[in-house]
Amino acid sequence: MKKRRFYGFATSVTLAGVLLLSGCGSEGEKTSGSGIEKKTIKVAHYFAEDHPQNIALKEKFKTQVEKESNGELEVQIYANSTLGAEKEFYDGVRNGTIEMGIPGLIMQADIPKMGVPEWPFLFRDFEHVKSVLNGPIGEELTEDLNPKHGVTPLAWSANGFRMFSSNRTIESMDDFDGLRLRMPNIPNYIK
C-alpha cells in the first residue's frame, strides 16, 4: 500500500458561521399534569454525530437550556444535515420551521460582507479571530441578518482554518500550477 503524504498550506478561516435563532416558532404543548407549556427548539447543522460541535450541542447546550428553562424548553439536535443541506436548514430558520441552525457563511450570497471572514490570510490565529468577530467588526458583519433574513445571530462558531492538502509538497504559489482543486462553491475560494 502506497503511503500518502499531505502538506498543508493555510489560507483562511472558515467559520461555521453564526448560531442563529428565529423566534422560537414551534407550537407549544402542555406537559401532562404540570400545566407548563413545553416548547421545542430544533437545532439543525451539517456536522457529523461525533463532531465536537454536535457533541457540545448535545452535552452542554441542550442540557443547560432544558435545565435552566425548568422543563419548558426541549432541545432537539438534528446533526449531519438531517433537516436538509445547509441552504435548506438555513431557509428553515428563516421561515420559522426550524428554530436554530449552525450554517457556514451561506448568507454571503445575499449579504456579501458576511464573506469577509473567509478572505485569505486575514487572521493570525484563533485569538485574533475571536477578538475581531466578537467585537464591533463582528457586529457590523452580522447587522443585516435580522433586517434582510429575519434571523438573529447568537454566536460565532469556529470551524478551523482552511488549508490545502496535496500528495505533493506545496511551498509556493507556483506549486499550484497544474494542480486540480476541489473546494466549496464560494466566490472567494474560487477566485
Side-chain angles (χ1 to χ4, degrees):
M1 181 176 201
K2 187 176 178 184
K3 220 179 199 184
R4 287 187 158 242
R5 294 182 304 171
F6 291 93
Y7 298 90
F9 185 81
T11 59
S12 72
V13 170
T14 297
L15 301 171
V18 270
L19 189 61
L20 301 170
L21 172 67
S22 179
C24 295
S26 67
E27 295 285 321
E29 49 182 70
K30 300 240 185 230
T31 55
S32 60
S34 68
I36 297 174
E37 191 173 310
K38 186 181 234 177
K39 293 191 185 225
T40 301
I41 298 173
K42 290 183 261 177
V43 183
H45 62 82
Y46 48 71
F47 299 107
E49 289 286 340
D50 60 352
H51 190 280
Q53 295 271 11
N54 189 60
I55 293 169
L57 282 169
K58 288 190 321 190
E59 294 179 4
K60 295 292 182 181
F61 180 77
K62 175 180 172 59
T63 305
Q64 188 172 352
V65 168
E66 289 179 351
K67 179 182 176 190
E68 292 187 21
S69 72
N70 295 318
E72 292 181 33
L73 296 174
E74 176 189 3
V75 176
Q76 296 176 353
I77 312 292
Y78 294 89
N80 214 16
S81 299
T82 307
L83 296 182
E86 181 180 20
K87 176 156 181 26
E88 287 80 21
F89 74 72
Y90 183 71
D91 287 345
V93 173
R94 290 181 69 186
N95 69 32
T97 59
I98 300 170
E99 287 71 31
M100 298 177 77
I102 305 176
L105 296 174
I106 191 168
M107 61 288 294
Q108 68 185 280
D110 298 325
I111 306 171
K113 66 182 173 182
M114 288 297 299
V116 168
E118 295 187 314
W119 289 355
F121 310 108
L122 190 60
F123 302 108
R124 290 184 302 271
D125 53 34
F126 280 112
E127 287 305 312
H128 187 212
V129 174
K130 286 181 356 188
S131 68
V132 170
L133 296 181
N134 290 326
I137 293 172
E139 289 174 18
E140 183 179 339
L141 291 174
T142 60
E143 70 189 356
D144 295 331
L145 283 174
N146 200 316
K148 289 186 178 183
H149 286 190
V151 296
T152 302
L154 297 179
W156 289 94
S157 177
N159 192 24
F161 285 87
R162 280 276 179 214
M163 63 168 131
F164 292 101
S165 297
S166 174
N167 59 358
R168 66 183 197 211
T169 303
I170 299 173
E171 294 178 341
S172 73
M173 293 303 288
D174 292 336
D175 294 330
F176 283 99
D177 287 345
L179 196 62
R180 289 183 5 183
L181 302 174
R182 181 177 157 239
M183 64 185 67
N185 190 20
I186 296 172
N188 288 337
Y189 294 176
I190 293 168
K191 186 176 178 183

